[in-house]
Amino acid sequence: MDKSWMHADRRSRTYELGVEEFLRFAVENASDVNNICCPCLKCGSIDGMFSARVIKDHLYFNGVDESYKDWVWHGEPSRATVNANEGESEATVDMVEDGDAADNIGLGDQEEKWASEDEEFFENGEDEQYSVESNDFMRLVEDGDKALYPGCTKHTKLNALIQTYNLKAKHGMSDVCYSDMLIMIGIFLPEGNEIPGSHYEAKKTLATLGMDYKKIHACPNDCILYRGQHADASSCPTCGESRWKLGKDNIEKQGVPGKVLWYFPPIPRFKRMFQSTKTSHNLTWHANERRKDEFMRHPADAPTWKLVNQKWPEFGNDPRNLRLALSSDGFNPHSSLSSRYSC
């Protein structure tokens, strides 16, 4: 079999097709389709016996062990066996061929068994994969599911990180203080714990989760944001209010903004929402599979949707584009909790 895919980029189509072909070969030659040796870098065909579904995930997340050149654990004869067979007599070859025929009958039975148990995996495998951009995220999730320390069953690394970071945000803890707290917690926990050693490591992990944010200076009176053409302004062009915070002596504290907007970019969150190619496939349902008649069954049947298509045809022509709806339910414009008025 062609094994050049083992050296290809995990994000390439070549690697994807190679994984599919390898799994088919492994399942066809497996005595138990639920216990197949995993050739990923982490398992190395020794430490793991899994189903084809699990092995597929491992090959995408961990990569394949490129040193595994002879697939002897998956039904391929070793080079020594092949060389010995080539030197046998014609009679022996005939016997081997007869044996191969018998083996093929067994493989046919196994293939029939595999087809009934795992057919859905290969038919829908492409829909169930994760997008190639999600490798870092999936590695993070796998790493985050580790126990907080050896033997811990109640808390994971990711859970502890989120809990401590929430505490930092709630009490306005400085980055230095947070780093010192992580170090102290790490000292109290048993050896081998997974607590990050600094604020930088913790923030890097959260950024991979798609929970990163941006701080944008704002006018204290909510007139403008100090971005774009106003990025270098020191006062609001609308109300004249200073950008910087005033101290007790009414002296501006340069570099300390009077008001800050915490902006959470939506695009990283959309990527997390549509990690699976099966989920992302549903994004185009309204264009490819929706029943189109005079009845309203989907927002795409509404006049507003069609108006967007007319005003921005380039946007509307690509069904993969996301359309966001703003909901103001419960918004109280008069800032009065006793008011019954609600939008």
Side-chain angles (χ1 to χ4, degrees):
M1 294 181 64
D2 180 19
K3 302 174 184 177
S4 60
W5 63 271
M6 299 175 68
H7 308 287
D9 191 325
R10 271 181 278 172
R11 296 171 294 181
S12 66
R13 181 64 174 170
T14 302
Y15 188 86
E16 178 183 348
L17 295 176
V19 169
E20 294 291 338
E21 190 64 26
F22 167 76
L23 291 176
R24 287 185 184 277
F25 179 81
V27 170
E28 288 174 358
N29 292 278
S31 58
D32 183 356
V33 294
N34 293 318
N35 287 282
I36 303 175
C37 296
C38 179
C40 76
L41 282 172
K42 187 175 181 180
C43 299
S45 300
I46 299 176
D47 297 335
M49 300 287 286
F50 308 101
S51 66
R53 293 175 183 270
V54 176
I55 293 175
K56 184 176 183 179
D57 289 340
H58 281 205
L59 290 176
Y60 276 107
F61 302 154
N62 304 325
V64 65
D65 181 5
E66 297 182 11
S67 64
Y68 183 46
K69 298 179 180 180
D70 297 334
W71 295 347
V72 293
W73 301 108
H74 299 90
E76 186 178 55
S78 65
R79 295 183 183 181
T81 303
V82 172
N83 293 336
N85 289 340
E86 290 178 351
E88 290 178 346
S89 65
E90 185 176 0
T92 305
V93 172
D94 291 338
M95 293 176 60
V96 172
E97 289 179 351
D98 292 338
D100 285 344
D103 288 342
N104 287 336
I105 296 176
L107 289 176
D109 295 337
Q110 178 59 43
E111 184 174 1
E112 195 172 312
K113 177 183 177 183
W114 159 73
S116 62
E117 294 184 357
D118 219 16
E119 181 177 0
E120 183 181 356
F121 166 68
F122 286 109
E123 287 184 351
N124 301 324
E126 184 175 353
D127 289 340
E128 294 180 0
Q129 295 172 12
Y130 291 98
S131 63
V132 294
E133 295 181 0
S134 66
N135 289 337
D136 291 340
F137 174 76
M138 294 308 299
R139 279 194 291 269
L140 168 71
V141 173
E142 182 180 355
D143 184 58
D145 284 339
K146 292 181 179 178
L148 182 58
Y149 54 86
C152 179
T153 58
K154 292 184 178 181
H155 304 288
T156 64
K157 173 184 177 180
L158 191 58
N159 173 259
L161 174 58
I162 293 176
Q163 293 284 357
T164 55
Y165 212 87
N166 283 342
L167 192 66
K168 174 186 185 303
K170 181 179 179 180
H171 297 286
M173 195 180 301
S174 68
D175 295 350
V176 176
C177 179
Y178 181 67
S179 296
D180 291 343
M181 183 184 71
L182 291 177
I183 294 174
M184 182 180 65
I185 294 176
I187 293 175
F188 290 158
L189 292 177
E191 290 187 6
N193 65 78
E194 298 291 339
I195 285 289
S198 66
H199 170 261
Y200 173 77
E201 292 183 22
K203 188 175 181 180
K204 186 177 180 181
T205 302
L206 294 176
T208 309
L209 274 174
M211 299 172 63
D212 199 10
Y213 58 86
K214 297 180 180 179
K215 292 182 179 180
I216 304 176
H217 295 181
C219 171
N221 297 322
D222 301 324
C223 300
I224 65 163
L225 294 176
Y226 289 99
R227 60 189 298 271
Q229 60 179 337
H230 303 303
D232 299 325
S234 57
S235 61
C236 176
T238 302
C239 66
E241 186 78 18
S242 174
R243 175 178 182 171
W244 311 114
K245 187 175 181 179
L246 297 177
K248 295 181 180 179
D249 50 3
N250 289 329
I251 298 178
E252 293 182 358
K253 296 183 177 180
Q254 290 293 330
V256 181
K259 197 168 193 176
V260 177
L261 169 72
W262 291 50
Y263 173 63
F264 293 85
I267 291 179
R269 284 157 181 77
F270 292 151
K271 289 183 177 180
R272 300 296 174 257
M273 289 170 62
F274 304 111
Q275 283 285 4
S276 170
T277 52
K278 182 177 181 179
T279 305
S280 61
H281 171 75
N282 293 333
L283 284 175
T284 58
W285 179 90
H286 65 87
N288 303 327
E289 303 175 40
R290 176 173 58 91
R291 185 175 177 182
K292 301 175 183 179
D293 50 28
E294 71 275 12
F295 298 102
M296 183 177 292
R297 295 185 175 89
H298 187 272
D301 300 317
T304 307
W305 188 288
K306 298 175 183 177
L307 178 62
V308 171
N309 292 343
Q310 294 173 4
K311 293 189 67 175
W312 299 283
E314 185 176 353
F315 174 86
N317 288 337
D318 191 339
R320 297 172 300 175
N321 285 329
L322 294 175
R323 302 174 187 235
L324 306 183
L326 297 180
S327 173
S328 57
D329 184 32
F331 173 69
N332 187 340
H334 305 294
S335 301
S336 174
L337 296 177
S338 61
S339 173
R340 295 184 180 180
Y341 179 84
S342 173
C343 292

